[in-house]
Amino acid sequence: MAKKREQREVGTIMDGVIEAMPQYAKELVAGGVAGGIAKTVVAPLERVKILFQTRRAEYQSIGLFGSIKKITKTEGFLGFYRGNGASVARIVPYAALHYMAYEQYRRWIILSFPNFDRGPVLDLLAGSFAGGTAVIFTYPLDLVRTKLAFQVVGPSKSSIHGLVSPEHVYKGISDCFSKTFKEAGLRGLYRGVAPSLYGIFPYAGLKFYFYEEMKRHVPEEHKKNIMVKLVCGSVAGLLGQTFTYPLDVVRRQMQVQRVLASTNAEMMGTFETLALIARKQGIKQLFSGLSINYLKVVPSVAIGFTVYDVMKTYLRVPSRDEAVVEVVTNKRNIQSSSLNT
């Protein structure tokens, strides 16, 4: 009896907290939870993909299963999660900003341009701007995550070819931050941000475009079905990633360029790097790891969108149309009060 009363009290407190939260805070929480869960699920595939992109000779030649065996042998099970702490530390604020900014940009466009069509183009624009905003604020964490995932540290007596030299071994997130900043300053923490922005604008926009467009064709009675959301998210991630993947490869190689400076010192900007990869490693290298990325992106985007929608329901976030009506009503009330005053 006492236990049930305690549960009711906790439930009442949670209800009060949820009701007191402003809408943007609810969207931030929903996006952060969605991003964290999705990223953790696919972390092992993300590690293998980064090694495919940046350590071509060692890993791409032995394939997916060979890479899995090699990581297990040299680093153990935890090797699959190397850099995942930085990845989650990045993705939680990134996803929170991304989803919240998408909702805010979408509402701003509707309110600023009332005649603008509320179709897929609106989602494309809002998603693109939201992706760019999130990247700018969280990019240094992505750089650190890549550097940590790139380094392959074997046993102390190991002499495996291609291990990172001692001066470039990072002990953790803070160590990687400090060493990178000492080596190249703030600019070093944003190394590779240009291809990230070039890639995220179309990718984020297309991702929201495809997801919302697919949901529009789902019968009303099935729109809350989790499997339907998973399928829509999977296809959205698959299509969006295919169009923008080469820029992801360029970004990864630019991020680890300082570690490989002795052999790739000529790699400079985004388009120079793109041309250099195509010339020296072939066009195929621009799609290196894409098959693994499909395995990663499909569940990642599907889980992300689904958890976000579920969290919005739990946090009682109003539908997008209801939110716009609420903002318009509040604006009119404020204007009316000002006139009366």
Side-chain angles (χ1 to χ4, degrees):
M1 192 75 177
K3 193 174 181 180
K4 284 186 177 180
R5 187 166 61 250
E6 187 179 328
Q7 288 175 343
R8 280 199 301 271
E9 288 174 357
V10 171
T12 303
I13 292 170
M14 285 301 297
D15 287 342
V17 170
I18 290 171
E19 289 300 324
M21 289 173 69
Q23 185 170 327
Y24 73 86
K26 293 179 181 180
E27 290 164 354
L28 281 170
V29 171
V33 171
I37 291 174
K39 182 59 71 175
T40 301
V41 170
V42 300
L45 286 169
E46 177 73 6
R47 176 80 203 284
V48 176
K49 186 199 80 169
I50 289 175
L51 291 173
F52 263 44
Q53 290 178 331
T54 57
R55 289 179 172 271
R56 185 179 179 225
E58 299 166 62
Y59 288 90
Q60 193 176 356
S61 59
I62 59 177
L64 174 60
F65 295 107
S67 299
I68 291 171
K69 284 176 67 177
K70 183 171 181 176
I71 294 170
T72 305
K73 184 179 178 180
T74 58
E75 302 177 70
F77 176 74
L78 291 179
F80 290 104
Y81 287 87
R82 182 176 294 280
N84 189 55
S87 184
V88 172
R90 178 195 75 92
I91 202 64
V92 169
Y94 172 83
L97 278 170
H98 194 178
Y99 284 107
M100 185 274 289
Y102 163 74
E103 304 286 3
Q104 295 292 330
Y105 280 126
R106 193 178 186 280
R107 283 194 287 272
W108 176 78
I109 292 171
I110 290 173
L111 292 171
S112 302
F113 308 96
N115 296 325
F116 197 91
D117 181 41
R118 297 192 190 185
V121 176
L122 174 63
D123 298 308
L124 181 70
L125 288 174
S128 297
F129 287 129
T133 301
V135 163
I136 289 169
F137 280 99
T138 62
Y139 186 79
L141 283 166
D142 182 52
L143 179 87
V144 168
R145 184 277 302 263
T146 300
K147 287 192 170 190
L148 289 172
F150 169 77
Q151 67 181 20
V152 178
V153 184
S156 56
K157 294 182 180 179
S158 174
S159 60
I160 298 172
H161 174 71
L163 297 186
V164 177
S165 58
E167 64 270 20
H168 285 125
V169 172
Y170 304 110
K171 296 173 184 176
I173 297 172
S174 59
D175 182 53
C176 188
F177 259 118
S178 62
K179 283 184 178 177
T180 303
F181 187 76
K182 283 178 184 177
E183 288 172 357
L186 186 63
R187 190 174 180 179
L189 291 172
Y190 277 88
R191 179 70 186 161
V193 72
S196 292
L197 289 172
Y198 299 151
I200 199 63
F201 271 102
Y203 173 64
L206 287 170
K207 189 172 68 172
F208 279 103
Y209 173 95
F210 288 126
Y211 182 66
E212 296 299 333
E213 181 62 14
M214 287 185 69
K215 285 204 312 184
R216 285 187 184 94
H217 293 88
V218 174
E220 196 63 40
E221 62 270 21
H222 296 302
K223 282 192 174 179
K224 292 185 178 180
N225 187 297
I226 287 180
M227 284 306 298
V228 170
K229 293 178 186 291
L230 285 169
V231 171
C232 290
S234 299
V235 176
L238 196 70
L239 294 174
Q241 185 72 160
T242 302
F243 289 115
T244 60
Y245 190 78
L247 286 168
D248 188 51
V249 175
V250 171
R251 171 170 61 108
R252 297 298 182 201
Q253 294 214 8
M254 288 181 72
Q255 286 175 336
V256 300
Q257 179 182 342
R258 181 163 288 274
V259 179
L260 299 173
S262 59
T263 55
N264 292 313
E266 71 270 28
M267 292 175 68
M268 299 294 290
T270 303
F271 295 107
E272 291 90 341
T273 302
L274 183 69
L276 188 65
I277 293 171
R279 188 173 69 250
K280 290 198 170 183
Q281 302 175 38
I283 296 293
K284 192 176 179 182
Q285 177 62 16
L286 291 172
F287 293 90
S288 175
L290 181 58
S291 57
I292 295 176
N293 213 47
Y294 281 150
L295 295 177
K296 178 186 79 80
V297 163
V298 168
S300 178
V301 176
I303 292 167
F305 274 127
T306 303
V307 173
Y308 178 65
D309 282 346
V310 170
M311 284 297 297
K312 283 207 305 179
T313 302
Y314 174 74
L315 294 171
R316 296 164 209 158
V317 176
S319 70
R320 291 184 179 117
D321 289 335
E322 288 173 350
V324 171
V325 170
E326 187 179 330
V327 171
V328 171
T329 303
N330 290 339
K331 272 192 170 184
R332 285 174 179 169
N333 289 340
I334 292 168
Q335 289 171 352
S336 178
S337 299
S338 300
L339 289 171
N340 290 335
T341 304

